[in-house]
Amino acid sequence: MRKVLLMWVFLGGFQNGFAALNIDITQVMESTMPIAIVPFGIEINVLPPQEDVAAIISSDLAKSGRFNVLSTTQYPEKPSNPTMLNTMLWREIGSRYVVLGNVQPAGNQYAVSFHLINVLDGQMLLSQSLPSARTQLRKTAHKISDLIYHALTGEMGAFDSQIAYITTHKTPRGKQYRLQVADSDGFNPKIIMQSDEPILSPAWSPDGRRLAYVSLENKKMAIYVQDIASRSRDQVSAHQGLNSSPAWSPDGSKLALTLSKDGNAEIYVLDLTTKNLKRLTHDPAIDTEPAWSPDGKTLIFTSDRGGKPQIYQMSSSGGSAQRLTFQGNYNARASFSPIDQRVVLINGNGGTYRIAVLENGQMRYLSETSMDKSPSFSPNGSMVIYATQRALAAVSVDGRVRQRISVEAGAEVRESVWSPRSP
């Protein structure tokens, strides 16, 4: 009975919800960069685009917590060309940077040009033109946000990415579970799969085109891989007992997963091409929640082989395992940063469960509430998204930027996982 209850904790509950996401900043950095995003120019004889590119960029940069985006009511002018810009006017209102641009027709699509200017010295920091399908202007705006973010912070942006999340919706027949995908800002939510039975553990493929997940449809636990664009899917694991916690290898050719087909919960690696299955752990304890290192050489996982759930690591080809966590009586749901060796996890102590980052053997707490779970790094490694108090939250790895991600009244959302950068 103890192992059954412990496995339930490892996997997380089935408390999920549904609806479009709303992101609110609850804490920002002490010092932010003042920047103005001027409304983009549009040719008079062109049908106005369906999306406001400048407004999307403004929202992206503001929600990052790194920028103070000045209100358009403060703007002394609204140029769309750098030659029209009076830098002195922008310095007077306290702006350091100005972004301006144009949306122009280019055959069956748009050409979106933008310019990033330092108004303190008049230097042009960035100037590009991006082609955009008429239906892809939001994505193009997110790409521009990424370029601006990188130019001004030196870090890669993560605006042109997505999140997947599992939700529930109460119906007259009972609960309906949905696997959904949305842009990183919560827009364009799409239902990828829905079922009257629970869906668990979504995991993005490295190319951002597929999702692996656990479904209990037909009253049996199985792992599926689903193509996001076509919605086609394959059942890749349906052994007797547990089929849980899928995790993609960095090259996308394998899945690490947890199976109990041999009588105990162990870590296996499934080759998606050959369908060969290799067992990696051999321990009477529960071994679950595998995750790959960025170079694919190491797996970390949760195990209670020491008496309570802790994080262990081993070679992805097999061998002995070494314990990584020693602080707190519960550590689980660990995963690597996509850019370095930092690990994010759930740390529990005395009934309080918080999100923490493990770096060089030291534990640093990121969350402030007591029942946090399901952490996932952003593709640039700068933020962590996690579930908390019937909603989602995001926090920067230095703890100085916080966001709360909620849904409409009465709805819930759980098990969010951040995608790689969009393909």
Side-chain angles (χ1 to χ4, degrees), residues 304-320:
D304 69 337
R305 60 183 62 190
K308 295 180 179 180
Q310 297 292 341
I311 306 302
Y312 292 77
Q313 72 173 7
M314 66 185 305
S315 169
S316 59
S317 60
S320 60

Side-chain angles (χ1 to χ4, degrees), residues 25-32 62-66 155 364-368 382-383 394-403:
I25 302 172
T26 58
Q27 177 182 317
V28 300
M29 301 178 75
E30 292 83 353
S31 59
T32 55
K63 287 175 180 175
S64 75
R66 305 290 292 273
E155 303 170 6
R364 180 163 44 86
Y365 295 107
L366 297 183
S367 67
E368 300 175 325
S382 70
M383 300 284 290
V395 58
S396 61
V397 292
D398 59 13
R400 296 195 291 171
V401 179
R402 297 185 185 278
Q403 300 172 357

Side-chain angles (χ1 to χ4, degrees), residues 15 353 367-373 386-393 404-407 411-414:
Q15 303 292 322
Y353 299 90
S367 67
E368 300 175 325
T369 44
S370 61
M371 288 297 292
D372 302 326
K373 57 184 179 179
Y386 61 96
T388 182
Q389 296 178 337
R390 300 170 61 88
L392 297 174
R404 184 170 179 83
I405 307 170
S406 58
V407 295
E412 298 179 8
V413 57
R414 289 291 183 268

Side-chain angles (χ1 to χ4, degrees), residues 85-258:
L85 185 73
N86 186 333
T87 57
M88 182 179 67
L89 295 177
W90 295 93
R91 290 196 298 269
E92 289 176 350
I93 67 167
S95 183
R96 181 173 180 181
Y97 304 102
V98 170
V99 175
L100 48 88
N102 285 278
V103 180
Q104 297 178 316
N108 294 325
Q109 58 183 8
Y110 291 117
V112 183
S113 60
F114 73 98
H115 315 278
L116 171 63
I117 301 163
N118 184 337
V119 297
L120 299 185
D121 58 14
Q123 182 182 0
M124 178 78 71
L125 302 179
L126 199 57
S127 181
Q128 289 191 30
S129 179
L130 281 63
S132 175
R134 295 178 184 270
T135 58
Q136 292 292 309
L137 274 176
R138 288 200 69 87
K139 182 176 179 65
T140 301
H142 291 319
K143 288 181 178 179
I144 293 173
S145 299
D146 282 341
L147 292 168
I148 294 169
Y149 185 92
H150 182 248
L152 297 181
T153 68
E155 303 170 6
M156 299 302 295
F159 306 111
D160 185 25
S161 61
Q162 297 179 296
I163 53 175
Y165 49 97
I166 296 170
T167 65
T168 58
H169 175 49
K170 292 182 179 179
T171 71
R173 297 183 305 166
K175 290 183 178 180
Q176 184 181 74
Y177 298 81
R178 298 178 179 181
L179 172 60
Q180 299 194 74
V181 168
D183 294 347
S184 65
D185 59 359
F187 280 79
N188 297 325
K190 299 179 180 65
I191 299 173
I192 304 302
M193 188 267 183
Q194 59 186 8
S195 172
D196 292 336
E197 300 297 334
I199 306 169
L200 300 167
S201 305
W204 288 94
S205 64
D207 62 6
R209 300 179 186 275
R210 293 169 292 169
L211 281 167
Y213 56 89
V214 177
S215 173
L216 274 70
E217 58 196 86
N218 302 318
K219 308 297 183 181
K220 181 179 180 180
M221 183 176 281
I223 297 174
Y224 294 83
V225 169
Q226 185 157 338
D227 183 270
I228 294 172
S230 69
R231 307 294 172 90
S232 64
R233 66 173 187 162
D234 296 313
Q235 187 183 83
V236 298
S237 180
H239 298 281
Q240 184 68 31
L242 289 172
N243 295 265
S244 68
S245 306
W248 295 84
S249 63
D251 64 2
S253 67
K254 300 179 180 68
L255 281 178
L257 37 83
T258 300

Side-chain angles (χ1 to χ4, degrees), residues 300 311 313 324-327 331 334-337 339-345 347 355-366 377 381-382 384 396-399:
I300 53 176
I311 306 302
Q313 72 173 7
L324 286 185
T325 53
F326 297 90
Q327 185 173 334
N331 289 282
S335 60
F336 280 99
S337 162
I339 63 170
D340 52 38
Q341 292 297 305
R342 288 176 297 183
V343 171
V344 68
L345 49 81
N347 173 265
I355 306 303
V357 166
L358 183 65
E359 185 174 8
N360 298 322
Q362 300 298 312
M363 194 86 71
R364 180 163 44 86
Y365 295 107
L366 297 183
F377 273 108
S382 70
V384 171
S396 61
V397 292
D398 59 13

